[in-house]
């Protein structure tokens, strides 16, 4: 019987977390943490190569501190395959648009889809996925704790882009099911991920914030199948302030590593605000980690112990042993849905952010407190199995999220709000974080959407950003590219 109660001695956990933080820049190098580094391996570097415009008048409104075209948790707002890059967004009249370009091209081909954004809610992003088994592009659109809208391209469209025209006729009808498979009436946070065999999986939340479960569906080239839910909303969590009996697991992502494992970092969000020291904060607590070695059917903690099954009676739950890898109570405005990546050895990395204890032990307004004192941290499991955490010595100056990218040499890049980029070398053990790009001239709103698929294909860090505007005045949506070390 697995333990379903998590009792949190707040100060003790916070002390543990802070002691685990390595010094910021200027600290002595600790040596590589992911294996033996080549002596001649380059450190992190950026060369700006292009900045292209997708749309001069993309839809603009701010809700939940974000933009519907630039929420960093959407997977994927940008996608690269077979020498072409794809982007999706809503234009000024609310129409969903999907575009492509050959890598290195300065112009994009666009296709307007027969769907218009239904509500001014920044959660209602467009996410794209690729099924390599049949060369189709899949899009899931416009959902926040309700139904969704789904469309897929003709077979082979992505396999032979130069042999196919780019227009709306390449896409099928917009559906409210996955080719007839109904999932849940409370659907949010679509994230597509390709399996090593080329099938396509869709991760999503069933339920609502504070009371939801993560689930998976899978496409094999002929049909979609529901694999089921794999995280639990039940059980009791207790802090020094109070208890909660319902929650949801907020994923940093789901990604296959070089080892073929499906990795997932996450935080828990409690339904009952009694677990917090004061109103106005976030009920998010703890950074957890699990992985699956069987394509998302069974979930294990970092030590390899099974802690949950998908579609079974025993999903991953709060308090499961060995799942918390960085403990933190709900008093520090820990952000949900930050980011993760796996390195060339298949080892998991994540970015997390919160207000450290040196700025006080109780946040009372998460947006203002994170903007004033929030810091991002790089977290990884090293080759010995130990978890290491390093503070990135660049203030967030924002309530929003940071994206993590690893280059071909496993150097780490943190793409921060406003398009700023900090980086650290693998050879230092990720202790030498410094700013490589300060975002000057972008006038970016906040979060950006990183193309997680492109770095491995042509060594370019590419992200989509939207320029600041006022009210609901549309603004330019752009993609900027940086060459990384080869």
């Amino acid at each position: 019987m697995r333990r379903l109660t998590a009792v949190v001695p707040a100060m003790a956990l916070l002390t543990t977390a802070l002691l685990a933080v390595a010094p910021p820049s200027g600290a002595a190098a600790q040596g590589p943490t992911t294996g033996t580094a080549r002596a001649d391996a380059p450190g992190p570097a950026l060369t700006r190569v292009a900045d292209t415009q997708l749309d001069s008048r993309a839809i603009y409104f701010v809700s939940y501190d974000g933009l519907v075209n630039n929420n960093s948790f959407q997977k994927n707002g940008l996608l690269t395959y077979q020498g072409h890059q794809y982007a999706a967004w809503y234009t000024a009249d609310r129409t969903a648009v999907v575009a492509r370009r050959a890598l290195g091209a300065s112009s994009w081909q666009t296709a307007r889809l027969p769907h218009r954004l239904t509500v001014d809610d920044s959660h209602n992003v467009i996410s794209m996925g690729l099924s390599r088994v049949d060369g189709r592009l899949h899009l899931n659109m416009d959902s926040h704790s309700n139904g969704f809208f789904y469309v897929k391209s003709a077979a082979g469209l992505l396999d032979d882009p130069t042999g196919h025209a780019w227009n709306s006729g390449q896409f099928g009808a917009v559906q409210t099911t996955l080719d007839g498979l109904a999932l849940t009436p409370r659907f949010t946070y679509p994230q597509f991920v390709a399996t090593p065999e080329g099938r396509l999986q869709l991760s999503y939340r069933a339920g609502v914030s504070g009371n939801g479960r993560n689930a998976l569906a899978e496409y094999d080239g002929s049909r979609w199948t529901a694999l089921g839910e794999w995280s639990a909303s039940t059980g009791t969590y207790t802090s020094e302030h109070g208890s909660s009996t319902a929650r949801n697991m907020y994923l940093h992502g789901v990604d296959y590593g070089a080892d073929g494992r499906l990795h997932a970092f996450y935080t828990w969000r409690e339904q009952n605000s009694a677990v917090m020291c004061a109103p106005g904060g976030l009920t998010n607590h703890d950074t957890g980690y699990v992985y699956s070695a069987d394509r998302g059917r069974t979930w294990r903690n970092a030590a390899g112990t099974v802690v949950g099954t998908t579609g079974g009676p025993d999903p991953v739950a709060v308090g499961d042993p060995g799942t918390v890898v960085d403990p933190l109570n709900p008093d520090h405005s820990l952000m949900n849905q930050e980011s993760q990546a796996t390195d060339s050895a298949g080892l998991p990395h994540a970015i997390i952010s919160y207000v450290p204890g040196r700025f006080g032990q109780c946040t009372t307004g998460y947006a203002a407190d994170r903007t004033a004192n929030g810091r991002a941290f790089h977290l990884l499991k090293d080759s010995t199995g130990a978890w290491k955490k390093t503070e990135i010595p660049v203030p967030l100056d924002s309530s929003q999220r940071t994206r993590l990218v690893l280059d071909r040499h496993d150097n780490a890049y943190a793409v921060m709000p406003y398009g700023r980029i900090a980086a650290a070398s693998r050879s230092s053990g990720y202790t030498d974080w410094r700013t490589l790009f300060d975002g000057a001239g972008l006038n970016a709103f906040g979060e950006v959407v990183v193309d997680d698929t492109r770095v491995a294909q042509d060594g370019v860090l590419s992200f989509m950003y939207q320029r600041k505007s006022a009210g609901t005045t549309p603004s330019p949506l752009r993609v900027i590219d940086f060459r990384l070390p080869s």
Side-chain angles (χ1 to χ4, degrees), residues 79-434:
L79 177 70
T80 295
Y81 185 66
Q82 297 286 54
H84 281 69
Q85 188 175 39
Y86 300 83
W89 71 93
Y90 301 103
T91 193
D93 68 0
R94 312 177 76 84
T95 299
V97 178
V98 60
R100 75 174 181 187
R101 65 168 174 173
L103 293 180
S106 60
S107 61
W108 295 77
Q109 298 174 288
T110 59
R112 292 167 63 94
L113 299 177
H115 178 75
R116 300 181 72 201
L117 179 67
T118 58
V119 63
D120 286 355
D121 186 331
S122 64
H123 290 80
N124 292 39
V125 299
I126 303 175
S127 293
M128 297 186 293
L130 157 70
S131 53
R132 295 197 308 274
V133 289
D134 58 1
R136 295 183 193 267
L137 183 67
H138 303 249
L139 295 92
N140 193 294
M141 308 175 283
D142 199 2
S143 61
H144 184 199
S145 301
N146 51 16
F148 61 83
F149 299 88
Y150 166 73
V151 64
K152 67 181 182 183
S153 77
L157 179 65
L158 271 61
D159 290 330
D160 182 22
T162 60
H164 290 83
W166 187 257
N167 53 51
S168 59
Q170 297 286 354
F171 294 85
V174 176
Q175 310 173 49
T176 55
T177 65
L178 298 179
D179 295 337
L181 176 65
L183 296 177
T184 172
R186 297 288 189 180
F187 179 100
T188 316
Y189 302 127
Q191 293 194 22
F192 288 108
V193 59
T195 71
E197 300 81 17
R199 298 193 299 270
L200 183 65
Q201 294 180 324
L202 175 62
S203 166
Y204 61 95
R205 184 186 73 191
V208 298
S209 178
N211 191 7
R213 287 86 52 207
N214 289 324
L216 287 170
E218 186 173 88
Y219 176 76
D220 64 4
S222 60
R223 67 188 182 97
W224 282 96
T225 302
L227 302 184
E229 297 176 357
W230 63 271
S231 73
S233 58
T234 55
T236 299
Y237 170 83
T238 302
S239 75
E240 63 183 87
H241 311 295
S243 296
S244 176
T245 57
R247 66 200 50 79
N248 71 277
M249 176 194 284
Y250 270 122
L251 291 171
H252 284 24
V254 281
D255 297 282
Y256 282 97
D259 55 2
R261 293 176 175 179
L262 184 59
H263 300 267
F265 285 92
Y266 57 89
T267 61
W268 292 107
R269 173 170 291 182
E270 297 301 320
Q271 184 181 66
N272 190 350
S273 61
V275 299
M276 294 190 298
C277 58
L282 292 171
T283 60
N284 300 338
H285 62 90
D286 298 326
T287 297
Y289 167 79
V290 291
Y291 74 87
S292 173
D294 58 2
R295 308 301 187 257
R297 273 67 172 178
T298 305
W299 296 91
R300 299 173 182 270
N301 65 19
T305 302
V306 174
V307 291
T309 56
T310 298
D314 190 23
V316 180
V318 70
D320 279 350
T323 55
V324 174
V325 298
D326 192 67
L328 188 69
N329 69 20
D331 296 341
H332 297 270
S333 292
L334 175 68
M335 181 49 64
N336 50 284
Q337 296 165 290
E338 202 98 36
S339 62
Q340 64 177 47
T342 56
D343 64 26
S344 60
L347 297 173
H349 299 235
I351 295 290
I352 63 174
S353 67
Y354 57 89
V355 178
R358 66 179 182 270
F359 297 109
Q361 301 299 332
C362 180
T363 56
T364 58
Y366 82 89
D369 290 340
R370 285 178 55 84
T371 301
N373 297 312
R375 298 293 188 272
F377 300 82
H378 172 240
L379 178 68
L380 78 150
K381 181 186 178 185
D382 71 15
S383 56
T384 71
W387 291 94
K388 302 290 181 64
K389 185 170 77 170
T390 305
E391 181 174 339
I392 300 173
V394 181
L396 289 179
D397 293 328
S398 170
S399 65
Q400 297 178 299
R401 300 171 179 89
T402 294
R403 297 297 302 174
L404 175 64
V405 173
L406 301 177
D407 69 16
R408 292 171 175 174
H409 307 282
D410 290 334
N411 299 309
Y413 301 77
V415 188
M416 304 182 76
Y418 316 118
R420 298 166 296 161
I421 303 175
S425 66
R426 174 181 182 263
S427 61
S428 74
Y430 305 101
T431 61
D432 58 353
W433 286 94
R434 60 191 176 93

